[in-house]
Amino acid sequence: MSEDAASTPFTAYRPNRRTLLQAGSLALLLAGKHQIAFGAAILAVRVWPAEDYTRITLESDVPLAAKQTLIESPPRLAVDIEGLQLNSALKEVVAKVQPDDPNIAAIRVGQNTPSVVRLVIDLKQEAIPQVFSLKPVATYKHRLVFDLYPSKPVDPLEALIQERLREATSSDLPAALTPPSLSAPEQDALEALIAQHSQSPATAPAAAPRPPASTVAAAPAAPARAAKTPGGSGTTARATPRKTDRIIIVALDPGHGGEDPGAIGPKGTYEKDVVLKVAKLLRDRINKSSINGNPMRAYMTRDGDYFVPLGTRVQKARRVQADLFISIHADAFTRPSAAGASVFALSQKGATSTAARWLANKENQADLVGGINVRSQDKTVQQMLLDMSTTAQINDSLKLGSSLLSQIGSFAKLHKPRVEQAGFAVLKAPDIPSVLVETAFISNPGEEQKLRSPAYQAKLADAMMEGIRQYFIKHPPMPRSRSI
């Protein structure tokens, strides 16, 4: 060692304040990267089963990335979710699968790697999955959504036919009209649809020349033949003369559902639950009614707690060739003093009031809250529904709305004495008179209490049934050919 080195004193390194801050920032940045990769927290897990599709929702505090693989045999969907560690909230999804779920048999979940959780969804039938993310909206944080659609989608018209068949087989009819192939009353025009729907090209011509027998269960083609020629000489003495050559179909649309609760009352009442109950009561009344000998049937765009996009609601009504479309809701406002029922029709020229415009904008946000896979929506169909509404449809809708408003106003407070108009997306079927009924303000404590009452729900259903009846008395349904 040289004398210079030996004589030089040792000085310890003392970082200045700027260096310490830079080092601390680097440490926080590295920790942040680790937190993003492994710190996602599952806030809630929800499963919404329905015949149309089953939805699984994972709600988290940060966006989740997922990779899915569909296995055909046995049918199942494997989903790897990155940046997660298995916790109790995620394990809950296993117990949320209901035995009567039409699409999901079971769900298994496990830690596949230290940073990846794997969900395996065992399917009851072949499915077409849609996996997508939703940004925070309303009270929801980030959502990762799995929609499982049957590979053979549910046809609304076939569902209506199957419902009619189930009722026909359980009704009290003379023994001569059983077995079930002849159990539907001949005056019910839906029988023709049932027969036509069940025919194959090979069997239809063979059955056509033969008139229906009174005691033999003929092929389904025979009732269809009789339905096309009411009062013809081919019927037997036992057959009842048909009263009509058509059936009146009313599409009922309970608002919201599933991920979208709609408005929430001061006591926690969900709009989606109340309007579904009212719609079911109205359905029962419609199914027992007829107008001038025309039997009526109700078709519901949803009959359970699941979400249906606004455009799909309209498409369903058009598929069954509905004569009317009635969307049922419960209003809400920032002031709890707001009260009264309202009826709305479509407007192509702007809303009739500021409140109507505000409400239409709020209801049109349902797809954002309920959650739709934007990439799967047919832009052409969406634009058609927006552009094709006609003046005649709006005029008929105003007449229907006035009839409903008159009946509801006979016992309930009205928010406005006339039918209002605004650009409601769900009212844009170009060929169906369509109205939206706000039954009351669920945000008003007194009206929320009424909406929770079964007796008041029945009053609402009775009033709307009478409004429908009065509308058709003044404006009888035109002859119409329903093709499948």
Side-chain angles (χ1 to χ4, degrees):
M1 182 180 294
S2 67
E3 291 183 2
D4 291 341
S7 63
T8 301
F10 174 77
T11 303
Y13 172 69
R14 292 176 182 168
N16 58 29
R17 187 167 180 266
R18 181 188 297 272
T19 305
L20 286 172
L21 288 172
Q22 288 175 341
S25 298
L26 179 61
L28 287 173
L29 181 61
L30 292 173
K33 280 187 69 177
H34 187 270
Q35 182 71 15
I36 291 171
F38 299 103
I42 296 296
L43 306 177
V45 176
R46 296 179 289 274
V47 180
W48 308 100
E51 291 290 341
D52 290 6
Y53 73 105
T54 294
R55 167 170 290 189
I56 302 170
T57 303
L58 305 182
E59 187 177 357
S60 59
D61 58 346
V62 297
L64 297 175
K67 298 177 181 178
Q68 69 270 11
T69 304
L70 184 63
I71 299 101
E72 292 184 358
S73 183
R76 60 194 186 279
L77 178 69
V79 183
D80 287 344
I81 307 173
E82 300 175 0
L84 270 186
Q85 290 186 336
L86 192 60
N87 59 16
S88 57
L90 196 52
K91 290 178 181 178
E92 288 181 3
V93 71
V94 176
K96 289 183 179 290
V97 178
Q98 301 177 17
D100 59 351
D101 189 313
N103 301 298
I104 298 179
I107 297 179
R108 293 169 280 150
V109 60
Q111 194 77 43
N112 193 41
T113 70
S115 62
V116 175
V117 167
R118 173 169 290 180
L119 264 69
V120 179
I121 305 169
D122 296 319
L123 303 171
K124 290 183 177 179
Q125 56 182 320
E126 293 182 3
I128 301 174
Q130 292 185 12
V131 181
F132 55 97
S133 298
L134 296 171
K135 295 180 180 180
V137 64
T139 60
Y140 291 127
K141 302 296 185 182
H142 295 274
R143 287 176 287 172
L144 182 63
V145 178
F146 312 92
D147 284 350
L148 301 167
Y149 289 87
S151 58
K152 297 179 180 178
V154 177
D155 184 346
L157 183 57
E158 184 172 348
L160 187 64
I161 291 172
Q162 292 301 323
E163 178 188 343
R164 180 67 184 90
L165 280 173
R166 285 193 298 270
E167 292 184 2
T169 55
S170 62
S171 61
D172 294 327
L173 293 172
L177 292 183
T178 55
S181 61
L182 291 181
S183 59
E186 289 192 356
Q187 66 268 23
D188 189 344
L190 190 57
E191 180 183 326
L193 287 178
I194 296 171
Q196 183 183 349
H197 191 75
S198 60
Q199 282 180 356
S200 66
T203 59
R210 296 191 304 170
S214 59
T215 58
V216 179
R225 191 68 176 174
K228 293 179 181 178
T229 56
S233 59
T235 57
T236 65
R238 190 186 298 271
T240 304
R242 295 184 68 251
K243 298 178 182 178
T244 180
D245 59 356
R246 61 161 299 171
I247 187 170
I248 299 173
I249 295 178
V250 180
L252 302 179
D253 176 50
H256 310 281
E259 288 284 287
D260 178 16
I264 303 175
K267 291 186 177 180
T269 307
Y270 283 2
E271 177 186 359
K272 66 174 183 178
D273 297 331
V274 169
V275 298
L276 181 60
K277 291 177 181 178
V278 174
K280 287 182 175 180
L281 291 172
L282 180 54
R283 175 193 62 187
D284 295 341
R285 285 154 174 76
I286 290 173
N287 287 348
K288 295 176 182 177
S289 300
S290 63
I291 302 293
N292 296 328
N294 294 271
M296 301 182 69
R297 300 296 299 175
Y299 172 78
M300 295 182 63
T301 59
R302 73 174 179 97
D303 57 4
D305 189 10
Y306 57 95
F307 178 72
V308 180
L310 298 176
T312 303
R313 296 169 188 260
V314 178
Q315 291 171 14
K316 284 184 169 187
R318 299 191 72 208
R319 172 62 181 134
V320 300
Q321 300 182 38
D323 294 281
L324 301 178
F325 180 92
I326 300 175
S327 191
I328 304 174
H329 292 254
D331 213 339
F333 197 60
T334 53
R335 289 185 289 105
S337 58
S342 306
V343 178
F344 295 84
L346 181 66
S347 171
Q348 291 180 301
K349 299 179 181 179
T352 52
S353 70
T354 302
R357 184 183 304 109
W358 177 85
L359 180 62
N361 290 335
K362 180 174 72 72
E363 295 294 356
N364 291 346
Q365 297 295 310
D367 280 353
L368 295 178
V369 180
I372 62 170
N373 185 4
V374 177
R375 290 174 296 178
S376 71
Q377 301 302 300
D378 188 330
K379 301 296 183 182
T380 303
V381 173
Q382 286 182 331
Q383 194 60 41
M384 178 198 71
L385 293 174
L386 292 175
D387 295 341
M388 284 182 59
S389 298
T390 63
T391 302
Q393 185 261 26
I394 293 176
N395 288 339
D396 288 340
S397 300
L398 289 170
K399 295 172 184 176
L400 171 62
S402 296
S403 183
L404 292 170
L405 197 65
S406 173
Q407 296 300 319
I408 294 173
S410 66
F411 70 94
K413 175 183 174 63
L414 296 180
H415 187 64
K416 289 288 179 68
R418 66 183 183 278
V419 179
E420 296 228 69
Q421 292 179 260
F424 291 91
V426 80
L427 301 183
K428 294 183 176 180
D431 48 1
I432 307 173
S434 305
V435 295
L436 186 147
V437 177
E438 295 284 1
T439 53
F441 276 83
I442 201 170
S443 54
N444 180 298
E447 293 201 340
E448 178 193 21
Q449 189 62 34
K450 289 181 179 180
L451 289 173
R452 293 164 63 100
S453 163
Y456 194 79
Q457 293 169 7
K459 275 188 174 183
L460 287 169
D462 288 337
M464 284 189 277
M465 182 67 246
E466 187 57 28
I468 293 169
R469 190 188 310 277
Q470 292 300 322
Y471 170 79
F472 277 126
I473 289 175
K474 296 178 182 178
H475 312 283
M478 299 295 291
R480 187 172 185 173
S481 174
R482 284 196 165 84
S483 59
I484 293 181

